[in-house]
Amino acid sequence: MTNLKLSEDTFNLKKINKYATLMTLGNGYIGLRGTHEENYFNQKRGFYVAGIYNYSEAGEPEEIVNLPDVVGHEIEIDGQVFSSLTGKKLSYDRTLHMDRGEVITRYLWEREDGLRLQFAFHRLVAKHDLHVIASKVMITSMNRDVTVKLRTGIDAQQTNHGRQHVKEKHVQVHEEKYLQGTYETTNSGQTITLFSACAYSHDCPVNFFAKNRQLLSESVISLGEDESFQLEKFTTVETSNDGDVSGSRDIGLEKVKHLTAQGYDEILKQSARAWKQFWDANRIEIHSPNPMDQKAIDFAQYHLEIMTPKHSNNISIGAKGLTGEGYKGHVFWDSEIFMLPYHLYNDPEVARQLLEYRYQRMPEAKNLATEHGYHGAQFPWESARTGKEETPKYAAINIRTGERQKVASALAEHHIVADIAFAVLHYYRGTGDEDFMKEKGLEMLVETSKFWLSRAEEVDGRLQLLGVIGPDEYTEFIDNNAYTNYMVHYTVQETLDLLRGVDSENQQQIKEMENFLDRLYLPEVNADNLIPQDDTFLNKPIIDLAPYKQQQGSQSILLDYSRTEVNEMQILKQADVVMLLFLLPDLFSRDVVEANYRYYEARTIHDSSLSKAIHAILAMRCGHKTTAYQFFQEACLIDLGPNPHSSDDGIHAASLGSIWLALFNFLNLNFTGERFKIDPVLPDTWTYFKFPFSYRGRRIVVEVSDQNLKLSNVYGKPIGVEVGGNSYQLTDYIEIPLPQIVT
Amino acid sequence: MTNLKLSEDTFNLKKINKYATLMTLGNGYIGLRGTHEENYFNQKRGFYVAGIYNYSEAGEPEEIVNLPDVVGHEIEIDGQVFSSLTGKKLSYDRTLHMDRGEVITRYLWEREDGLRLQFAFHRLVAKHDLHVIASKVMITSMNRDVTVKLRTGIDAQQTNHGRQHVKEKHVQVHEEKYLQGTYETTNSGQTITLFSACAYSHDCPVNFFAKNRQLLSESVISLGEDESFQLEKFTTVETSNDGDVSGSRDIGLEKVKHLTAQGYDEILKQSARAWKQFWDANRIEIHSPNPMDQKAIDFAQYHLEIMTPKHSNNISIGAKGLTGEGYKGHVFWDSEIFMLPYHLYNDPEVARQLLEYRYQRMPEAKNLATEHGYHGAQFPWESARTGKEETPKYAAINIRTGERQKVASALAEHHIVADIAFAVLHYYRGTGDEDFMKEKGLEMLVETSKFWLSRAEEVDGRLQLLGVIGPDEYTEFIDNNAYTNYMVHYTVQETLDLLRGVDSENQQQIKEMENFLDRLYLPEVNADNLIPQDDTFLNKPIIDLAPYKQQQGSQSILLDYSRTEVNEMQILKQADVVMLLFLLPDLFSRDVVEANYRYYEARTIHDSSLSKAIHAILAMRCGHKTTAYQFFQEACLIDLGPNPHSSDDGIHAASLGSIWLALFNFLNLNFTGERFKIDPVLPDTWTYFKFPFSYRGRRIVVEVSDQNLKLSNVYGKPIGVEVGGNSYQLTDYIEIPLPQIVT
């Protein structure tokens, strides 16, 4: 099993923003990109607090705010501006220690005249205290007397690619040591207060500067040969989202003083302890000849952990987590369909919070439905702080015409309304949380059902869902998208069943839903066993997709064809019918699943990072273990692969969720109330697989080895388990020899 | 005589912004900082168009807008991000060719593996066409096959130190070649349209990208050993200030096409021709053993030329010209007192335009007076687009208390009202422009006089000007500042004389002014021949200023004393009484001038760049030639000296004007109507001095050599000249042997 490390052993300017993303530190409250302490001209710094959104110009959507930087150091060596690009790096290593949430960069640098300096930069975002960032810079002169000047502090010159979201409200140096910077977002009116302080290993003169939106401290140190200098820096962040901030000045000041008294190593110790608890309880283990399998799931779990705002039920997870500004920090269906299951089966409270985030935005969802002439609640395609539709009205500019292309998603990608309902049902089935259903869940189900009832139109005597976009965004404004119609049918049917269960006063509502379900058109399996993706898809021309599949993820098809042209061919960006088959595995026979998986995969470029792992799951279900493993491995490379710019704007949060989904689905778990079936199908080369999950108050650990399947019930009541047709009662643990379970 | 070049022969990151400022290109419409084409992490790009101002947050003053960048190139070599900091620079030269307004950077770069590339970057801002920027990048592979990728275009991620002033309105690529970026300032509603196109020496694939406020073209070129590649780039800029912009798209597109057809060298030829005409007509020559004398005046003339918006009478000159964002591009008394004389004696039309800029803002000046309870017109201490008071309400933060310190200048530095009146009179005396006086000048004089009449308060039976700040900003809120009171008396007296001359209907006004002048308190020369700088100054304690004079220009006194403490000591930032004696040389006897010059200089730190050259003039007038020359030389180093950060935020425009003022005053010219006296007093080491100036329709060239004084009348009617007590009629030229004129 590989260690919990992600390393870069060669400094490469081209990958500087990829690694800044991959090596993001965080705790669900803070996301701090893994940029270098030193400045490089193409390096994109990023410091985000979950839930802090703003728009800079009227008409723009809100976006996650890139806060003033606290990571950067300007360094001078012997009076000259330092850049590590000059001279030589005689050694270099940069490692994200996922085991303890720390990034360490070390290099030995030689100046042209032979001076050698050893640099070591340590940094953490505390896991045990959401508001804390700490870092440590160590510089050792190996062979000369040298003078070092370090300038660091709070730098509010940062922008979101040129968009400025905060104004400086107050900057101050307290007690000639503690820097305070208080900022306010320009339109959303949120307040962010930062405190920063440095502690030095040597007595040294320190000056402070406040100019041009920077509040900096500058220290000068003379080092003899073989002498080391160390600067520790402590930062706290509080925002008006945290509650009453009238006292935040005192809180922050006291906190930063306390941190300074503790010192970096003590803070690291406490944070590392919290990380150890996390890994001890949650780490998935894969013994595979391909070390990337373990690394990818470690990386996924690390990022799923740091992206999730467990501290609040009023914030959800952006498509890039808190690692970059891609998709402006907006929340998509990714949260409910790709990330929520991870939490549901590990920490169901978090899954509930993600749903509560939506619930609290029901009024806006109802407004959106009303605006569009519908009933019920229409959740927006992109959501942020307010719950208003935040999808940019216009996306990429057509640079030939200068016309901004309208974003179709907000207008038609309505499946998100069913996806959220699906997640409510998923949560309820997984937890049996009646309180949530009574207080919130059922209301969400009913309101989203109402939306669909009003959304359907009668055509040829059937209710149809016209002019939608399914998950496959290369096919826009089509009628009766199979994914959408079936998901709608499923969620409304389930809602109806639940409604009937409660003593519903509204028989009218029930009747309308029954009528809707009776009459909703569901695309039927045709003579070739195919489910038509929509009314016209199967009649569209087919082209050879091989060249585009070669460059999957790059949307290279759009260089050769316009969106309108792509729309008129059998080209899929990502899983659509396949997605449906994944989510609702019991709808169709295995033959149908197999036929559709084959047919649609052949026509899928996988330009979306949401596609690969879902195909891995379907391939595994169809018994194509090799293909499944290949899809899985390809999914693992979406962020971690060789593409130097794959993740410049942030990690692919849903893709990381889907890597976990793949492994989870490889177990073929099937839950029914207080019991479950398990039937693991794993890549042949894996010799050991350990997978913990939670279910209705139990913590179960599955271990699959060459010899046997071991199930442990770490805590919680006994539970019934079915394996290979046999039933067991899992109290502490059971071991079942393997041949029994081979399917 | 040194050539018209300013060179940097060593690449130094520490001076990168100093040289970016010094090597600014421009034409009074455009100011383009002399940044490198390549990006460096600490390099501050700047592209300004005169008159384009905006504020980004309510309550902030407007500032000159840093426009989208068109200079930068991202370069990749063999697939790796290029930075010249890596590898070695085997040679390096960067030169501003002031003779033709071109910056050329050349260096031979060696990669670690031995690949050698010769880079040459040429750039110009056209002098013959205000809207044009052109550049040329040449890359030669000296010893290997190599692939080069260049990415350049229009980059709207630029900010003013984090403040974003423009929104993207329209970006487009026309005909797969011509980039268009149209931007609008966020609050002042000005539109800026940029067109950019590249032409390549080789056929090469070109792609275009529009994302995150950048519109870029990317070209890829494979070079063999000893092969060169050349990219030429042409940019045009038009703004809504230029008049109707509804057609600017077509104008800009046509223009950039035309430029592309012309090519860099042809554009350079035309621009260089315009520069040659400028230098031929205007260059001052100094033969001195100290080459800096010539360089400094060349540099001053170059920058005075590029900073001046000769195309418009609705824009004035910012304190940093168009070279940086210091003082936010605001207009101070610098324009009228330090820069206007240069234009008055070279191109009086420009001097008139600078006054018209003020005249057009009379309504705002009247509003400002009314707001403060005064009559007439009160010009603001800092002025920009609207003529409103643009002085930031709060300046530097007191970083200990977090309190922003109120800027006192706007509240009390009222002498600017007299300074503008002085400039009107100066212009009128220098040109006899009766039309201007009738239409605008007299009104300005009357309204500023009214301001002073209402501003004065009766104390002890005299009218006093209380609570003012004179030019010396280290003495705030004092009563009866000598500079202010005498300047006010002078300008009101002159206004009265002019009013009497015209058939004024307003005898009441005349009477009030007579009464004011009779009763205005004028600080009297005391027993020590001193003019008290204000009512209390001479009674304040004195401290040893030697250590602060050592660090003059740095305001280091404020590190040891608070402003309040400095206020209570005999400490001057800059010339104050000395400034008065400079501007009104006939008020006092030479003994008084001498006594005051000595007394106040001893108490002056020269922390303002406006101080040194004025002291040089006074020293020369007092016969201290050596000291005068020393002050002059020190003034020459304000921008050009060794301080690596002297000019990061822009050149010191007034200081450059004052270098010219010093030379002008060394001639001891005295104009009376259609004749003048001249009595040059020059540094002993100068063997030749050539100084052209204009006066009432004539172009006069003064040449002083070891042997004689030669005066040429280049064009215009004959004029009477008095030299050494003798009168001459200057028709074409006269030569007068030198001994005669030694004073």
Side-chain angles (χ1 to χ4, degrees), chain A residues 14 79 162 164 168 173 399, chain B residues 14 79 162 164 172-173 399 404:
Chain A
K14 199 165 183 173
Q164 181 56 264
E168 206 179 51
V173 181
I399 54 179
Chain B
K14 198 167 185 174
Q164 181 56 266
Q172 185 170 356
V173 182
I399 52 179
R404 290 187 182 260

Side-chain angles (χ1 to χ4, degrees), chain A residues 12-14 39-42 57 76 79-83 85-88 112 156-164 166-174 176 186 208-213 215 397-404 645 649, chain B residues 12-14 39-42 57 76 79-83 85-88 112 156-164 166-174 176 186 208-213 215 397-404 645 649:
Chain A
N12 184 346
L13 273 180
K14 199 165 183 173
N39 293 310
Y40 297 94
F41 65 90
N42 61 340
E57 293 168 23
E76 280 191 19
Q80 293 303 308
V81 174
F82 169 73
S83 167
L85 299 180
T86 64
K88 273 188 201 159
E112 284 187 5
Q157 290 188 7
Q158 304 302 313
T159 64
N160 288 53
H161 296 290
R163 288 180 297 276
Q164 181 56 264
V166 300
K167 47 192 170 192
E168 206 179 51
K169 295 292 281 182
H170 185 87
V171 303
Q172 183 170 357
V173 181
H174 299 265
E176 309 220 4
T186 57
F208 299 96
F209 304 90
K211 198 185 166 189
N212 289 331
R213 299 174 62 96
L215 177 62
I397 293 154
N398 180 325
I399 54 179
R400 322 284 167 192
T401 63
E403 300 296 315
R404 288 183 184 265
H645 298 297
D649 295 337
Chain B
N12 184 344
L13 274 180
K14 198 167 185 174
N39 292 310
Y40 297 95
F41 66 90
N42 60 341
E57 294 168 22
E76 280 190 18
Q80 293 303 309
V81 174
F82 168 73
S83 167
L85 299 181
T86 64
K88 273 187 199 162
E112 283 188 7
Q157 291 188 6
Q158 304 301 314
T159 63
N160 288 53
H161 295 291
R163 289 180 296 275
Q164 181 56 266
V166 300
K167 47 192 171 193
E168 208 178 51
K169 294 292 284 183
H170 185 87
V171 301
Q172 185 170 356
V173 182
H174 299 265
E176 309 219 6
T186 55
F208 298 96
F209 305 90
K211 197 185 168 191
N212 288 333
R213 299 174 62 97
L215 178 62
I397 293 155
N398 180 326
I399 52 179
R400 320 285 167 192
T401 64
E403 300 296 316
R404 290 187 182 260
H645 298 298
D649 295 337

Side-chain angles (χ1 to χ4, degrees), chain A residues 100 124-129 132-135 232-235 255-256 258-273:
Chain A
R100 58 181 186 267
L124 65 86
V125 168
K127 189 161 177 56
H128 64 291
D129 183 338
V132 171
I133 297 168
S135 63
E232 294 188 356
K233 185 175 176 185
F234 311 99
T235 298
K255 189 186 272 283
V256 80
H258 178 65
L259 295 172
T260 310
Q262 282 189 305
Y264 183 87
D265 294 341
E266 176 60 28
I267 299 166
L268 173 64
K269 206 167 114 188
Q270 295 183 24
S271 182
R273 194 180 300 140

Side-chain angles (χ1 to χ4, degrees), chain A residues 54-125:
Chain A
N54 186 63
Y55 65 88
S56 60
E57 293 168 23
E60 293 279 316
E62 288 198 350
E63 66 181 328
I64 187 96
V65 173
N66 189 8
L67 296 174
D69 175 63
V70 295
V71 169
H73 282 259
E74 290 171 45
I75 304 174
E76 280 191 19
I77 306 291
D78 289 335
Q80 293 303 308
V81 174
F82 169 73
S83 167
S84 83
L85 299 180
T86 64
K88 273 188 201 159
K89 289 195 196 69
L90 302 177
S91 68
Y92 177 83
D93 180 75
R94 184 161 159 72
T95 298
L96 167 64
H97 295 268
M98 295 184 280
D99 61 329
R100 58 181 186 267
E102 185 183 30
V103 171
I104 301 178
T105 310
R106 290 176 58 85
Y107 56 86
L108 177 60
W109 176 76
E110 185 177 79
R111 194 166 64 186
E112 284 187 5
D113 69 355
L115 165 74
R116 290 187 177 191
L117 297 178
Q118 176 70 51
F119 289 92
F121 301 96
H122 295 231
R123 192 192 312 156
L124 65 86
V125 168

